[in-house]
Amino acid sequence: DAEITQSPRHKITETGRQVTLACHQTWNHNNMFWYRQDLGHGLRLIHYSYGVQDTNKGEVSDGYSVSRSNTEDLPLTLESAASSQTSVYFCASRGTNTEAFFGQGTRLTVV
Amino acid sequence: GQQVMQIPQYQHVQEGEDFTTYCNSSTTLSNIQWYKQRPGGHPVFLIQLVKSGEVKKQKRLTFQFGEAKKNSSLHITATQTTDVGTYFCAGRGLTGGGNKLTFGTGTQLKVEL
């Protein structure tokens, strides 16, 4: 069965360190997204990609970057982790005008 | 940019009571989707509405898309403890939205026995 997986599931890092969260999907979807979830804010879009070599900024992109070198993967990098980036991160993928499939989430704590 | 708000933010109900969450977009939507996230879980797709004024039902859940395609609602009849979770609407803009979804702020539902 097709799936979307995130790793790690939990991560504790120190302020200022670079952190990369992995997202891998086997749906063969062109569209992939990274969201962060915080109480009172719902799911906010960080970055998204519509295909290989395509990346776009979402509403809360500062301090984050992504790259898309193949269809299956969209890693999210925090260049210099800050306490404000403590959150739960969800990766999602979808086809054209179809439902989105979410990964299990990564709980990131920046200390 | 496009904004999607949901009310209420939280709702406590007794089992058997009805529940409704409302979703309002700042712009006209091409379609709207609803997702449910159980505590500690990830959002899971429930349904998509496309047509103006569309109403769809899934057992005790009724979904509506407004005539102007800027608002939507989810109504649960006779809630059960299995309905506990956060309900999100997500909209795709009519113009310039591409394939990205803008999620609402979510409504957290708690059901007490």
Side-chain angles (χ1 to χ4, degrees):
Chain A
D1 286 346
E3 60 180 3
I4 178 167
T5 55
Q6 293 181 232
S7 62
R9 294 292 311 278
H10 302 273
K11 175 77 176 178
I12 300 175
T13 191
E14 294 179 343
T15 302
R17 289 195 179 267
Q18 183 181 79
V19 177
T20 297
L21 309 183
C23 176
H24 179 82
Q25 54 99 3
T26 58
W27 290 98
N28 200 34
H29 288 153
N30 284 325
N31 309 305
M32 295 186 71
F33 310 88
W34 274 103
Y35 294 90
R36 61 176 288 175
Q37 183 173 30
D38 306 284
L39 280 174
H41 292 279
L43 292 159
R44 291 184 292 175
L45 185 61
I46 305 171
H47 280 287
Y48 59 102
S49 169
Y50 289 153
V52 176
Q53 301 301 329
D54 176 74
T55 60
N56 305 279
K57 294 182 178 181
E59 60 180 305
V60 289
S61 61
D62 287 350
Y64 303 94
S65 63
V66 293
S67 60
R68 187 87 181 270
S69 59
N70 58 54
T71 300
E72 295 80 18
D73 299 289
L74 187 70
L76 176 71
T77 298
L78 286 68
E79 305 294 343
S80 177
S83 57
S84 60
Q85 294 176 309
T86 292
S87 187
V88 179
Y89 292 85
F90 286 101
C91 179
S93 72
R94 68 190 291 246
T96 302
N97 206 26
T98 63
E99 66 190 273
F101 295 90
F102 283 81
Q104 299 293 322
T106 296
R107 183 173 295 275
L108 177 68
T109 302
V110 183
V111 298
Chain B
Q2 181 183 10
Q3 292 186 339
V4 181
M5 301 299 294
Q6 276 182 259
I7 54 171
Q9 189 174 3
Y10 303 100
Q11 185 80 58
H12 261 105
V13 299
Q14 296 288 320
E15 188 177 44
E17 292 181 338
D18 292 356
F19 160 78
T20 304
T21 174
Y22 300 91
C23 176
N24 294 287
S25 170
S26 59
T27 60
T28 304
L29 300 171
S30 171
N31 55 56
I32 195 155
Q33 298 182 349
W34 283 90
Y35 292 77
K36 177 183 178 181
Q37 182 180 24
R38 294 183 186 275
H42 59 281
V44 175
F45 175 81
L46 293 175
I47 207 162
Q48 174 170 284
L49 304 171
V50 178
K51 298 177 183 178
S52 170
E54 188 171 14
V55 178
K56 285 189 176 181
K57 292 190 175 185
Q58 285 181 351
K59 297 183 181 179
R60 295 177 295 103
L61 279 60
T62 301
F63 304 85
Q64 279 191 300
F65 200 9
E67 294 290 339
K69 300 185 77 173
K70 295 183 71 174
N71 57 71
S72 181
S73 65
L74 158 60
H75 179 82
I76 302 178
T77 303
T79 55
Q80 301 175 358
T81 55
T82 53
D83 295 325
V84 165
T86 301
Y87 293 85
F88 292 99
C89 62
R92 176 172 172 260
L94 192 61
T95 58
N99 277 304
K100 64 181 169 72
L101 293 171
T102 299
F103 279 79
T105 45
T107 296
Q108 185 178 352
L109 173 64
K110 293 190 176 181
V111 181
E112 297 176 352
L113 292 171

